[in-house]
Amino acid sequence: MTTHTEPQHRRRAPRALVLALPLALLAACGGTDQPAAPGAASTSPTAAGTAPTEREAAAPRLVLTYDGGLVVLDATTLETVGSAQLDGFTRVNPAGDGRHVYVSTTGGFRVLDAGTWAQPHGDHAHYYTAAPVLTDQLVPAQEPGHVVVHEGRTALFDDATGHVVVHDSDATGDPDRAEREHTAPTPHHGVAVELTDGTLVVSEGTADARTGVRVLDADGSETAASDACPGVHGEAVAADEAVVVGCEDGVLVLRDGKLTKVEAPDAYGRIGNQAGTEASPIVLGDYKSDPDAELERPTRVSLVDTRDASLRLVDLPASYTFRSLARGEDGEALVLGTDGALHVIDPQTGELVRSVPVVEPWEEPTDWQQPRPAVKVLGGTAYVTDPARSMVHAVDVLTGEVWRSVSLDVVPNELAVATGEAAHEHEQDEHEQDEHAHDEHADDEHAHDEHADDEGAGA
């Protein structure tokens, strides 16, 4: 493994890395509480293996998939801290508690303990790390699909059954946790998100045609619904808990309990991947306008303003894919292009502010499961995978500096971040869903096969 060290001049560190507690404060309260070990009830029940080490600050970690397993990196040094073998194609999503990651694999959503966590202690927290462990804990699902985290609640969707499980994010490692359950009238590739008042937004449809969403209150009673969303896919949450759900002809916006359809400027204007943040009322989305393309390589993205239900399209100098969208900590709209650059867009004006070269130019593979560059953001850092060179890069979003790069022994595919913070200490800034291309790319690339109308499941 080759590491390129961080330059000595200033960089913008991930937000999690600047929360260090004064050593005197740590000493003053040290020893009064035993740290939550990896096997404690509030953590992963089967992750006991190494004694935890206390840290001065949160120690975020990156979880990457490859053909044959998982690799866990320290997000600051990019050094490998653990790995696990796992057969088959896997997907990874943060569980929302800062520590665990759901691995979508055969049988359901399996829990990976990334080995970094926070233990709240009055007005501060203590931070610990241990060896990562792929646990035996599993949320059963025949076809594990979307995992959506919002405000300390995590929703998991089983595409084969339409079954939704929602739980407190900080109870991910507790096998005896309370769960809210809902089952859609018919199975479909779907998505669900729970809001702070217990409102559940859930997609509707069948395996052949997804049509819209239903909005249920905390008791499960319907409060709003719309069937004006053909090909419904994905969601993102913006400021003030406005929810955007993608359609093949625009989006649906839920704001203050009311559903509003936002029409695309084209008869077919598909928005299936979205990236939202509580720092902005505007949601970034992809935009495809050719219903007959075997594999459309779009060069426009969408910006949906949830305040007035308006939609703006932005032209880019390159195409991108379903793993290309992210948001900066100040709300910047980020798109990783096939020209190898991270493009930074002002969401308010739609202006392309700058383009930062990160990787070599690349082309989207026709097989959706094949690796392609991906981007995830924590604080001021964008983490970018580089499958062509088996590398990962850390990019300062504000300055454009690639402040650290590392070579891997495997070809990275999917990417998720474990913040190492408590569930409510660092609220999920980035509510994003990308295509579970099993269906998304079946639609784009195999228009006449059995999945022709099932275009996406989100990571």
Side-chain angles (χ1 to χ4, degrees), residues 248 266-270 288-296 443-445 447 452:
E248 289 180 350
D266 300 284
Y268 178 86
R270 186 177 188 279
K288 295 182 178 181
S289 57
D290 185 355
D292 300 319
E294 291 188 6
L295 174 60
E296 184 173 359
D443 183 51
D444 284 345
E445 301 161 27

Side-chain angles (χ1 to χ4, degrees), residues 260-351:
T260 302
K261 179 61 181 287
V262 182
E263 299 286 349
D266 300 284
Y268 178 86
R270 186 177 188 279
I271 301 173
N273 301 300
Q274 305 91 29
T277 169
E278 293 165 8
S280 173
I282 298 172
V283 167
L284 169 68
D286 61 355
Y287 191 79
K288 295 182 178 181
S289 57
D290 185 355
D292 300 319
E294 291 188 6
L295 174 60
E296 184 173 359
R297 293 184 166 93
T299 57
R300 293 182 292 175
V301 292
S302 58
L303 296 172
V304 176
D305 193 327
T306 60
R307 296 167 298 186
D308 59 8
S310 62
L311 186 153
R312 178 203 305 263
L313 297 181
V314 177
D315 291 308
L316 294 174
S319 63
Y320 57 92
T321 74
F322 65 93
R323 293 185 187 144
S324 293
L325 307 182
R327 302 301 293 269
E329 69 173 340
D330 294 326
E332 305 97 327
L334 308 178
V335 183
L336 182 62
T338 56
D339 58 355
L342 184 64
H343 301 287
V344 182
I345 301 169
D346 182 334
Q348 294 288 345
T349 65
E351 176 189 1

